[in-house]
Amino acid sequence: MNNPEPSCAGPLPNSTQDPDSEWAEYLAWLDREAAAGRDAGPPVWESDLPESADPPGWESDVLESADPPLWESDVAGCAGLGCAGPGCAGTGCTAPARPLFGRDGEADVLPPGPLLTGLTEQAVGDLGRLSDNELIGVLRATRRQMACEQYKQVLVTAEFGRRRQAAFEEAAARGVPVGCRPGGFPGEELAVELVTTRAEAGHRIDDAIDLTSRLPLTLAGMAAGQIDEARAGWIALYTRSLAPADAAQADEILAEAAPDLRVEQVARKAASLEMKLNPEAVRARKEYARRNEQRVEARRELSGNASLSGRELGTADVLAAKAHIDALAARLRESGLFDGTLDRLRALAFADLTQGRNPLDRLSTAGTAGTATLGPADSGTPVEPSPTAADPAGAPADPAGAPAGPAGPLPAPDPSGGPNPSGGPNPSGGPNPSGGPNSSGGPNPFGGPNPSSGPSGSFPAPGRRSPLPAEINLIVPVGSLLGWSTAPGQAGAWGLLDRDETRAVVDAAAQHPRTRWCVTLTAPDGTALAHGCARGRHSRLLSDLAPQPPPEQLMEILRRLNLVFTPIARGSCDHSQAEEHYVSQAEEHYVPSRQLKHLVRARTATCDAPGCAAQAVQADLDHTVPWPDGPTDQGNLAPRCRTHHRAKQAADWKVEQTEPGVTRWTLPSGRTHVTTPTKYDA
């Protein structure tokens, strides 16, 4: 193509506008002068400018709009970035620096382009002069520039792919045999040039063609430096199966949301939209992968150890298998005979199961020698313990020094990397379950004989799926559950469930004796309005539902659950009137009631720190204003993973909950971020 490439901050391809036309003309003039053997001399801004001389076009276009000009310090001969401008004393100026890269400063919001490049180059030349706030601004600016450079790569890669595709199709039309047609191996060709795998190169070509032909808003976000290649790649992948109209709708939604989401959050949101807009394609892709790509992989870990995993398995099967492993690990821990973390006990049970051994056989061998410490190799073979290997309960102390919770496994580790903070009642209803059989030999919550009864009683019958434990927090759109919606469900941190998986997982969970049912009513914008929890088990909740219109089905479900809904606080929270309007009244105790925990976690489903995706069901319920100065109510409580809970308590972090669920985080750099209540997909 012969069209000049647009600037990153300018229009998209095929636009007739060219904001850098004068700059392009200047470069063309330099080329002509060089070709003629003439010395063009230094650029005008490097020579002694007469008073009437104008700066180069690109510089004047941008700088004349700044008040005062962004690079005034350089023109005036000042010492560096951020000079005060008017009244500046020149070299050696001691005037206070302007925070160009400070939050909402000129450079902090400047789109990618030559000016931003110059400012960042100048900034990194003397980083010691920048404040923490400005350092973050420079970092954000360079990321915008990187995204813009990736935008250019997308344009080039798409053009490359189209040329190879045109050559291939033209050869096919001429009857050239398959395998002999030019343009048939674009991924392999690009892989050689970029020193990458052919699969990665093929993905880059597919993504680039989709972005330039079907996703104009996402492409514009890349040009503006707001969406990087990783986020754009997930958007392209999950919109590939959509019809043009649906792809345009998804492009609009995702391009707006992507700049404020982490990469994995963009991927999940894009996958959720594909499930709603084209569930048949999602189902077909999953079935294909199950038939053709299921496998067991053994890999080397970066540490030098190894890993073993099953790939492309059914979600319900994985949840049930994990539940069984959790139960066995809990039984080992509850025995008090083994030292080690719960994760290590899970790995021990997993290794035993995959080698035909019953992990519970270890109880009889370890019991003869008292508490056993797992061997340093990974075999799990008990060795003689040190006198302080474990406390009397057989569980290692919480590194945070928090009070120990009920015996049994902790919820899944916090995705933010900190230790798991849980230990209170199970947010899904009922007491916090152990996930496995109790140490007194009571009924096995997995439906089979108690694992203590011997090897043959430890495993469900072949083909039978283990009931899921109650600590797996399921978010299930009622329309998907009853079959009249394609909105995906969510199984905690496991990810999205399509309609069929949602029903399978719910049916399995219903069999578990400690599963409890809760319902959250949402507003049109997806935020939570009210929440209610049912008492007791409802193992046949979905059985014998007569065919009837969706509203009647929903009413029948609610009738069976016999729910009483409690409003979730919204807007300003008047603590003095909380008792009258909300059960989330300011409670006298530090630990919130079970109902209050549910209300807060229904309102905010993840840690409320900016960008954190740790599940609220596994997080601390933290008093924003420390108790007893701050009340125990909806307006002061928020779910925070243990890592962000600790960060919030540091002297250089500041957290304010301006209204229920709306939290302002001020980071040590001085930059602020506001998080809001969860918006559920419906």
Side-chain angles (χ1 to χ4, degrees), residues 132-344:
D132 289 353
N133 194 326
E134 291 171 312
L135 280 176
I136 299 299
V138 174
L139 187 61
R140 287 164 51 92
T142 55
R143 289 190 62 177
R144 294 198 299 277
Q145 292 173 278
M146 290 170 61
C148 180
E149 294 302 315
Q150 291 168 345
Y151 156 78
K152 297 177 185 177
Q153 290 183 349
V154 165
L155 298 182
V156 173
T157 303
E159 177 65 17
F160 171 84
R162 291 191 183 98
R163 291 183 182 184
R164 294 297 178 268
Q165 183 178 6
F168 183 84
E169 293 174 350
E170 191 271 337
R174 290 189 288 109
V176 177
V178 176
C180 300
R181 298 170 185 170
F185 299 93
E188 287 76 3
E189 180 183 358
L190 199 61
V192 172
E193 300 295 345
L194 300 183
V195 194
T196 187
T197 66
R198 60 184 181 181
E200 172 62 24
H203 287 315
R204 291 174 69 96
I205 294 173
D206 291 340
D207 293 347
I209 291 176
D210 282 346
L211 286 164
T212 55
S213 61
R214 288 163 50 91
L215 304 168
L217 297 180
T218 300
L219 186 64
M222 296 186 73
Q226 299 300 313
I227 300 175
D228 62 11
E229 182 181 41
R231 290 168 173 81
W234 285 113
I235 294 173
L237 173 66
Y238 284 118
T239 57
R240 192 159 295 149
S241 69
L242 302 182
D246 289 337
Q249 178 185 354
D251 182 35
E252 180 179 2
I253 294 171
L254 295 170
E256 180 181 0
D260 299 321
L261 298 178
R262 297 192 321 203
V263 173
E264 69 273 16
Q265 292 174 319
V266 172
R268 178 176 289 202
K269 190 172 185 66
S272 175
L273 278 172
E274 186 192 27
M275 284 185 178
K276 287 194 288 187
L277 297 173
N278 194 358
E280 293 78 13
V282 175
R283 188 178 303 110
R285 183 174 64 235
K286 290 168 63 174
E287 289 301 323
Y288 177 86
R290 287 173 185 166
R291 287 195 308 268
N292 300 284
E293 299 177 12
Q294 277 193 351
R295 61 198 182 276
V296 174
E297 288 185 354
R299 296 184 178 183
R300 184 181 184 275
E301 298 280 11
L302 296 177
S303 65
N305 293 311
S307 66
L308 182 69
S309 62
R311 304 294 301 274
E312 299 294 350
L313 306 179
T315 304
D317 286 332
V318 170
L319 291 173
K322 180 62 165 55
H324 185 57
I325 292 173
D326 285 348
L328 294 170
R331 185 71 178 90
L332 294 175
R333 181 177 182 178
E334 290 171 357
S335 71
L337 299 176
F338 290 89
D339 185 21
T341 65
L342 191 65
D343 276 338
R344 194 173 185 195

Side-chain angles (χ1 to χ4, degrees), residues 525-545:
D525 65 355
T527 57
L529 283 175
H531 183 82
C533 295
R535 296 180 177 273
R537 294 186 60 189
H538 294 272
S539 58
R540 301 181 59 82
L541 178 64
L542 304 179
S543 302
D544 306 323
L545 279 177

